[in-house]
């Protein structure tokens, strides 16, 4: 018989549901805006759509699964493992999408003349497909054997238990902390974050050099071109900063769990770290709305046309005018 949900679990579930209710519509709005607005059809915004898809999946799939894990149902080992793996896949997908965005912004300021010939829609689609394939391979590694199954079987044998192998489904019960720290964090999270930091520093450096030189280029107004690139780079760097701020606390707690088994981490810190990771999926649409004018214009157009039951001609004309910006 299922245990009754405690007041603390009810509060946890309520916060998770609230995050999902913000994340899913917000990121669907991002995808919708890119689909309907020609000004949002370059490679950068394709990678942003990939990031938004991962964030929609966090709200629609990962958060419900996290609630199930928090309740702690009795399941078979691999059933629980299948519940725990999606968050690993989507985290890696988000990181690789952010890395693709950073590389794309670097190419835009490093080789503006050759950019369109190098970064074609086909190549962007291939890059996105590769990011998702790598994400599935990294996130499903525990399903291939790097998990706690053997450790739990040894513990069961030492206890002299020969009953059917049913466990209380918890993330740390099935996912190996060695996998989370040595492979997931030290290989697939921390190095990409550091690489993106270096890329954005170089992007800002290149832009400022161009703005200071005031040299002529293929653009009719290089100051306007690099000024616009600086604004977008700052906005996307903010997205990266929020991602790092949201995910590093949980990975640091994992490191403490692995390297200091005797250290007692307060449960409230773990829950705050989990809320930050899930809440990150709701942050990006807010950043786009306040920081990127093309998105803001598209959001307003969608609102006026589909939710206010009217067609706002001013919004449409504004969107057309923004296409060249």
């Amino acid at each position: 018989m299922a245990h009754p949900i405690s007041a603390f679990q009810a509060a946890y579930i309520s916060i998770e549901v609230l995050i999902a209710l913000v994340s899913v519509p917000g990121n669907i709005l991002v995808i919708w805006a890119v689909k309907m607005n020609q000004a949002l059809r370059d490679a950068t915004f394709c990678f942003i759509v990939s990031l938004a898809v991962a964030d929609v999946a966090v709200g629609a799939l990962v958060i419900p699964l996290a609630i199930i894990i928090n309740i702690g149902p009795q399941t078979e080992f691999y059933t629980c493992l299948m519940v725990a793996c999606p968050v690993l896949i989507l985290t890696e997908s988000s990181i690789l999408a952010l890395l693709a965005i950073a590389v794309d912004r670097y190419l835009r300021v490093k080789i503006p003349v050759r950019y369109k010939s190098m970064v074609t829609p086909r190549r962007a689609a291939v890059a996105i497909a590769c990011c998702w394939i790598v994400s599935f391979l990294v996130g499903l590694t525990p399903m291939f054997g790097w998990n706690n199954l053997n450790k739990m079987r040894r513990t069961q044998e030492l206890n002299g238990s020969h009953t059917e192998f049913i466990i209380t489904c918890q993330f740390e019960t099935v996912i190996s902390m060695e996998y989370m720290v040595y492979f997931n964090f030290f290989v697939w999270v921390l190095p990409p974050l550091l690489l993106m930091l270096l890329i954005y520093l170089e992007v800002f450096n290149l832009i400022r050099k161009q703005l200071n030189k005031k040299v002529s280029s293929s653009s009719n107004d290089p100051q306007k071109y690099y000024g616009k690139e600086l604004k977008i780079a700052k906005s996307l760097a903010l997205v990266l900063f929020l991602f790092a701020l949201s995910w590093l606390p949980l990975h640091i707690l994992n490191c403490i769990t692995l390297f200091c088994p005797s250290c007692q981490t307060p449960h409230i810190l773990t829950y705050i770290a989990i809320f930050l990771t899930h809440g990150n999926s709701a942050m990006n649409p807010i950043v786009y709305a306040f920081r990127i004018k093309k998105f803001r214009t598209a959001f307003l157009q969608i609102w006026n046309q589909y939710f206010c039951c009217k067609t706002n001609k001013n919004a449409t004309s504004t969107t057309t005018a923004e296409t060249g910006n």
Side-chain angles (χ1 to χ4, degrees), residues 140-159:
L140 291 177
T141 296
M143 295 292 295
F144 303 146
W146 197 346
N147 54 52
N148 287 334
L149 180 59
N150 291 333
K151 184 189 297 184
M152 295 189 70
R153 279 178 173 164
R154 286 195 299 268
T155 301
Q156 188 182 41
E157 289 171 0
L158 289 174
N159 293 334

Side-chain angles (χ1 to χ4, degrees), residues 20-221:
L21 290 176
V22 175
S23 174
V24 173
N27 285 286
I28 288 176
L29 191 60
V30 170
I31 299 168
W32 193 353
V34 174
K35 184 178 185 302
M36 70 174 291
N37 194 333
Q38 283 294 126
L40 298 173
R41 294 291 180 85
D42 64 18
T44 298
F45 296 107
C46 291
F47 296 130
I48 286 176
V49 166
S50 179
L51 181 60
V53 168
D55 287 337
V56 168
V58 169
L61 177 64
V62 169
I63 287 179
L65 293 179
I67 291 172
I68 291 172
I69 286 180
N70 181 261
I71 295 171
Q74 299 293 309
T75 66
E76 293 182 350
F77 183 88
Y78 276 100
T79 301
C80 184
L81 200 58
M82 289 177 64
V83 171
C85 281
V87 68
L88 303 174
I89 297 169
L90 296 172
T91 303
E92 191 56 39
S93 172
S94 296
I95 291 171
L96 294 178
L98 288 168
L99 180 58
I101 290 169
V103 172
D104 178 73
R105 301 323 294 183
Y106 173 78
L107 293 175
R108 286 184 71 94
V109 299
K110 183 67 175 179
I111 51 168
V113 177
R114 293 184 291 129
Y115 171 79
K116 287 188 177 180
S117 63
M118 288 191 63
V119 185
T120 62
R122 181 183 178 85
R123 289 174 179 173
V126 169
I128 290 170
C130 290
C131 288
W132 279 98
I133 290 170
V134 171
S135 300
F136 272 92
L137 291 175
V138 172
L140 291 177
T141 296
M143 295 292 295
F144 303 146
W146 197 346
N147 54 52
N148 287 334
L149 180 59
N150 291 333
K151 184 189 297 184
M152 295 189 70
R153 279 178 173 164
R154 286 195 299 268
T155 301
Q156 188 182 41
E157 289 171 0
L158 289 174
N159 293 334
S161 174
H162 300 286
T163 59
E164 187 179 358
F165 199 63
I166 300 295
I167 63 169
T168 300
C169 186
Q170 299 287 340
F171 187 85
E172 291 185 16
T173 303
V174 294
I175 300 293
S176 165
M177 243 343 104
E178 286 81 4
Y179 160 82
M180 286 301 300
V181 174
Y182 292 126
F183 186 68
N184 189 277
F185 182 47
F186 287 167
V187 176
W188 291 103
V189 174
L190 193 57
L193 288 178
L194 293 174
L195 178 58
M196 283 183 270
L197 174 62
L198 295 176
I199 290 173
Y200 275 110
L201 288 175
E202 181 62 17
V203 166
F204 292 134
N205 182 49
L206 288 170
I207 291 174
R208 288 196 169 93
K209 280 183 178 178
Q210 293 296 331
L211 290 175
N212 290 334
K213 285 197 308 183
K214 298 183 180 179
V215 295
S216 61
S217 68
S218 61
S219 172
N220 294 329
D221 189 351

Side-chain angles (χ1 to χ4, degrees), residues 275-292:
F275 288 143
L276 281 173
T277 60
H278 295 166
N280 178 253
S281 62
M283 296 177 189
N284 293 342
I286 299 171
V287 173
Y288 303 149
F290 282 96
R291 301 277 307 183
I292 301 179

Side-chain angles (χ1 to χ4, degrees), residues 8 264-273:
F8 186 84
Q264 295 295 322
T265 304
H267 287 297
I268 189 64
L269 289 181
T270 302
Y271 278 105
I272 290 172

